[in-house]
């Protein structure tokens, strides 16, 4: 089955700096890679996703890149703000909806 | 906006009790999922369902069962609760995906379950 590894487990950045979270997956059949943000006391919320026929996707300060050959994908947050502080999860999945999640990254943005 | 509602935010039960966690979605989604979330382990899939009365085991189904009698409702059942089932439980739903179109999962806010 699919196995997703996520690094780092914690990430501290100064406000305004960039944050990068990296994930690797094992199943070459995976074709969908969403990223979720979870704030304290809330469920995970989708922030961006990418499909295997696309190498990069950007939405304002958030971007995701995918390298299918190397089986890794990354989340980039630019110009970080205190409200970006949260736990971020990567996931890898198939067309039928099942996802395998990484262990999560606690991001702390300090003013 | 998609709404996935879990019936309880916090629940305290005793070992050996039968526990029901309820989840309702209002978007007519075909797929529904139950996960448990533990520190350092991320989200692990317990069971999922692609349709009414249909269920599939996820990665950690032992000690759990599910019920989907109506499309909008997916219940997780702990047959005989044990202390190692103390965790955060998350429900999610999504539209049916196809080979060319994946559908994102939408999550509820979770039920923090403590088994004493």
């Amino acid at each position: 089955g699919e196995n997703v590894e996520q690094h780092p487990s914690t990430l501290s950045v100064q406000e305004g700096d960039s944050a990068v979270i990296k994930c690797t997956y094992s199943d070459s059949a995976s074709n969908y890679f969403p990223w979720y943000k979870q704030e304290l006391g809330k469920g995970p919320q989708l922030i961006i996703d990418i499909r295997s026929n696309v190498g990069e996707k950007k939405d304002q300060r958030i971007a995701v890149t995918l390298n299918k050959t190397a089986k890794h994908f990354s989340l980039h947050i630019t110009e970080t703000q205190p409200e970006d502080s949260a736990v971020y999860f990567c996931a890898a999945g198939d067309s039928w909806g099942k996802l395998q999640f990484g262990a999560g990254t606690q991001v702390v943005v300090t003013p | 906006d998609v709404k996935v509602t879990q019936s309880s935010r916090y629940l305290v039960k005793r070992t050996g009790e039968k526990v029901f966690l309820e989840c309702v979605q209002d978007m007519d989604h075909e797929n529904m999922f139950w996960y448990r979330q533990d520190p350092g382990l991320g989200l692990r899939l317990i069971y999922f369902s692609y349709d009414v009365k249909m269920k599939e085991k996820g990665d950690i189904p032992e000690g759990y069962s599910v019920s989907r009698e109506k499309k909008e409702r997916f219940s997780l059942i702990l047959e005989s609760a044990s202390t190692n089932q103390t965790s955060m439980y998350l429900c999610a739903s999504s539209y049916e995906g196809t080979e060319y179109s994946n559908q994102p999962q939408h999550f509820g806010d979770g039920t923090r379950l403590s088994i004493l």
Side-chain angles (χ1 to χ4, degrees):
Chain A
E2 177 64 276
N3 181 48
V4 177
E5 292 193 2
Q6 182 172 347
H7 299 279
S9 56
T10 58
L11 182 58
S12 291
V13 295
Q14 286 284 117
E15 183 177 358
D17 287 350
S18 294
V20 180
I21 303 170
K22 297 183 178 182
C23 290
T24 60
Y25 63 99
S26 60
D27 191 348
S28 55
S30 291
N31 60 7
Y32 176 58
F33 307 92
W35 285 87
Y36 285 84
K37 176 184 181 182
Q38 186 177 28
E39 296 175 330
L40 205 58
K42 299 280 189 180
Q45 278 207 303
L46 180 75
I47 54 172
I48 195 167
D49 57 10
I50 192 168
R51 290 168 173 78
S52 58
N53 57 348
V54 175
E56 185 174 354
K57 184 176 177 180
K58 191 173 180 181
D59 183 3
Q60 299 182 346
R61 295 186 298 108
I62 293 172
V64 59
T65 59
L66 170 66
N67 183 327
K68 277 191 68 180
T69 305
K71 294 198 186 72
H72 64 71
F73 56 113
S74 301
L75 178 72
H76 303 253
I77 307 173
T78 58
E79 300 171 22
T80 53
Q81 300 166 6
E83 52 264 39
D84 294 328
S85 296
V87 179
Y88 292 80
F89 292 98
C90 64
D94 57 31
S95 302
W96 313 112
K98 194 176 163 187
L99 293 176
Q100 193 77 27
F101 284 82
T105 297
Q106 174 76 61
V107 173
V108 177
V109 180
T110 51
Chain B
D1 253 9
V2 176
K3 187 75 174 173
V4 179
T5 303
Q6 295 185 230
S7 54
S8 305
R9 291 301 303 274
Y10 301 94
L11 209 52
V12 180
K13 297 291 182 181
R14 297 206 173 274
T15 54
E17 279 193 72
K18 190 169 186 176
V19 181
F20 294 85
L21 302 183
E22 305 287 345
C23 175
V24 177
Q25 49 93 6
D26 66 355
M27 283 301 291
D28 204 34
H29 284 166
E30 291 82 13
N31 299 341
M32 295 190 76
F33 307 83
W34 274 107
Y35 295 89
R36 65 176 280 176
Q37 181 178 12
D38 300 289
L41 297 178
L43 281 68
R44 293 180 291 166
L45 183 63
I46 304 171
Y47 267 96
F48 58 104
S49 169
Y50 289 143
D51 203 348
V52 176
K53 296 191 185 294
M54 179 273 174
K55 60 185 178 185
E56 293 276 348
K57 291 180 180 178
D59 298 319
I60 51 164
E62 296 78 19
Y64 303 95
S65 63
V66 290
S67 172
R68 192 161 180 207
E69 296 297 317
K70 294 184 177 182
K71 190 174 185 180
E72 67 271 19
R73 186 180 297 270
F74 193 34
S75 302
L76 180 69
I77 304 155
L78 285 66
E79 296 290 345
S80 177
S82 64
T83 54
N84 62 12
Q85 292 178 309
T86 291
S87 187
M88 170 70 86
Y89 289 87
L90 290 163
C91 174
S93 70
S94 73
Y95 286 116
E96 182 181 17
T98 68
E99 185 177 352
Y100 305 105
S101 173
N102 308 88
Q103 297 296 327
Q105 292 184 22
H106 302 267
F107 284 84
D109 284 336
T111 295
R112 186 163 293 281
L113 175 64
S114 296
I115 308 296
L116 304 180

